Amino acid sequence: TKKRRYSASAAIGKCVYIIGGYDTKTRLKSVERLDLTEENPQWQSVAPLLFRRALPAVCVHRSNLHYLTFNFNEFNVFFIN
């Protein structure tokens, strides 16, 4: 996993997701998942965002992560398979 700040997180079922953020050098487009049903949960990379994002807002609706950029001029849906 990558150290980050200014990211967003949400849970779908027993999985926790962390989205975007800033690693003190650049904005991130990475998305990571922690599956709490595993015996020894570890963060795993999943499909990244299309663009680097810091300070996103995120919510879950119908098992999809929806995120909004910090300047509120873009709305995206991140589909979880």
Side-chain angles (χ1 to χ4, degrees):
T1 64
K2 188 172 255 243
K3 286 188 176 183
R4 62 178 84 204
R5 60 176 88 169
Y6 311 127
S7 58
S9 59
I12 298 176
K14 298 211 181 228
C15 292
V16 178
Y17 293 84
I18 189 160
I19 300 166
Y22 183 72
D23 69 358
T24 72
K25 293 182 180 158
T26 187
R27 293 178 183 160
L28 303 172
K29 64 180 184 176
S30 59
V31 178
E32 295 183 59
R33 174 181 60 215
L34 182 67
D35 186 345
L36 299 174
T37 63
E38 294 179 358
E39 188 173 321
N40 294 311
Q42 294 183 13
W43 289 102
Q44 301 171 352
S45 293
V46 295
L49 303 174
L50 293 177
F51 303 100
R52 298 174 186 276
R53 295 288 176 242
L55 297 170
V58 65
C59 70
V60 176
H61 178 66
R62 295 186 181 168
S63 296
N64 291 307
L65 294 175
H66 296 257
Y67 68 94
L68 187 67
T69 61
F70 71 96
N71 57 5
F72 299 103
N73 66 356
E74 183 180 305
F75 182 76
N76 294 282
V77 179
F78 187 79
F79 294 99
I80 303 298
N81 294 326

